[in-house]
Amino acid sequence: MAASGQVNGNVSPQYLGVTQPISTAGPTEADHARTLKLEKFLVSAGLYESQDEAVLREEVLGRLDQTIKLWVKQISQNKGFSDQLIQEANAKIFTFGSYRLGVHGPSTDIDTLCVGPRHASREEDFFAELYTMLADMEEVTELHPVTDVHVPVMKFKFNGISIDLLYARLSLWVIPEDLDISQESILRNIDEQSVHSLSGCRVTDQILRLVPNIQHFHTTLRCLKFWAKRRGVYSSVMGFLGGVSCALLAARICQLYPNAIPSMLVSRFFLVYTQWRWPNPVMLCAIDEGTLGLPVWDPRKNPCDRLHHMPIITPAYPCMNSSYSVSLSTLRVMMEEFRRANEICEVYYIFVSRLVLHIDLCIVICTWY
């Protein structure tokens, strides 16, 4: 969502985010050189998949989409629907997470969502009928349904590609091929698990809409995820940063420095979050209250939200805190890592300015123990 503000009575240019940018300065020649070195390092670290694997992923997603379309027609026939409804019956596959964001690497899981019509139930049809179909396919291995969790998921490998498949049951009798799941109306009259399942796709798409330069965001996020994993602060289960939280933090830096390139954005990331006054929330846009009455993050109304130590708010309705598992102790560890990385960045830039050394910023941050 673009916003505008007033400075000395004059309307400022449009910008992304809930506040004006910190700086609109662009890169220098040295920044471009550092970004090239950063990109080369990320490639050498094996963070990009090969062209063959990229093609295979596309083929797998195409086959999976065909499979769920056949599945929904079969269950429509089994339920005794008319020939016309069987012919029109449809389901769609959407992707989200690192694959949809464009920051996945070799052997990374593909987070996928199956969107089905109102007559395709989760228990009997998705986790029973579709499970049976997948189990009978030679391409599918390691099929494992996980149903006793907040967001039920079907895990399997399809031609060697790991897939996490969620399910959302809409209130529509027919799922249109051009379905737009970003619309709030898609959430009307559906169960809570379907709302949560749709959230991943809706949040991912909204993040991509709210960054000023997607390519710069991609490179920055790849670097920051690599750093977080190397420093042991990448795990939402353990109370640290998860993939969504990392993406939201990086996207906010892109908003605050809209003309910066990756080498600049990485250093600004650590500078900004070293000084961030938690529990002030990080938000990419204003919280949408919606019209459907779904609960959203609001510490003024919800006492449990006041207990969150590091709120990083998702930008799609219903807006939630993606980092609710962060504790005071894990926040303390992350803040120490932010400070450490920021100090390394400052030392690096002093070296560059005084000695004109060409040290790869990402190598220093990620490997200097």
Side-chain angles (χ1 to χ4, degrees), residues 85-303:
L85 187 53
I86 294 172
Q87 184 177 1
E88 294 176 350
N90 191 33
K92 270 188 67 66
I93 289 291
F94 293 88
T95 61
F96 62 101
S98 62
Y99 183 81
R100 177 71 182 95
L101 285 172
V103 295
H104 62 288
S107 304
T108 303
D109 294 352
I110 305 181
D111 294 312
T112 56
L113 169 70
C114 172
V115 174
R118 62 187 303 168
H119 61 275
S121 69
R122 177 177 289 102
E123 292 77 15
E124 295 179 1
D125 297 320
F126 182 77
F127 280 109
E129 293 296 328
L130 181 58
Y131 174 86
T132 301
M133 286 184 64
L134 292 172
D136 290 339
M137 298 176 66
E138 292 183 358
E139 306 100 310
V140 175
T141 59
E142 301 179 28
L143 180 60
H144 179 56
V146 183
T147 58
D148 56 345
V149 290
H150 188 57
V151 182
V153 59
M154 195 114 68
K155 293 177 172 286
F156 55 94
K157 286 188 176 181
F158 200 118
N159 278 341
I161 301 296
S162 295
I163 302 287
D164 284 357
L165 181 62
L166 309 184
Y167 181 64
R169 178 187 185 184
L170 302 189
S171 60
L172 305 173
W173 285 106
V174 176
I175 303 299
E177 194 62 25
D178 60 350
L179 178 69
D180 181 3
I181 60 174
S182 67
Q183 300 299 314
E184 180 184 314
S185 59
I186 210 74
L187 304 176
R188 194 180 303 277
N189 300 323
I190 65 174
D191 61 87
E192 183 179 357
Q193 288 178 322
S194 292
V195 172
H196 292 310
S197 296
L198 284 161
S199 179
C201 293
R202 289 165 53 81
V203 167
T204 301
D205 288 349
Q206 190 72 340
I207 290 173
L208 294 174
R209 294 188 187 101
L210 290 170
V211 292
N213 186 302
I214 292 178
Q215 184 176 357
H216 293 166
F217 168 71
H218 283 167
T219 304
T220 303
L221 181 55
R222 279 187 190 275
C223 176
L224 293 171
K225 287 178 67 175
F226 183 66
W227 162 81
K229 291 176 182 179
R230 288 295 299 267
R231 299 303 302 168
V233 291
Y234 186 82
S235 172
S236 58
V237 174
M238 300 298 293
F240 294 107
L241 298 175
V244 175
S245 295
C246 266
L248 292 171
L249 291 179
R252 184 62 180 133
I253 297 303
C254 292
Q255 291 180 339
L256 293 172
Y257 299 91
N259 297 321
I261 59 177
S263 63
M264 303 166 66
L265 292 167
V266 169
S267 63
R268 269 59 166 189
F269 178 95
F270 297 117
L271 175 63
V272 168
Y273 292 122
T274 294
Q275 302 175 14
W276 197 270
R277 295 184 177 179
W278 305 104
N280 288 326
V282 171
M283 300 188 297
L284 300 187
C285 59
I287 292 178
D288 184 358
E289 297 288 343
T291 61
L292 302 180
L294 298 174
V296 299
W297 187 84
D298 188 345
R300 298 168 303 176
K301 299 178 182 178
N302 308 321

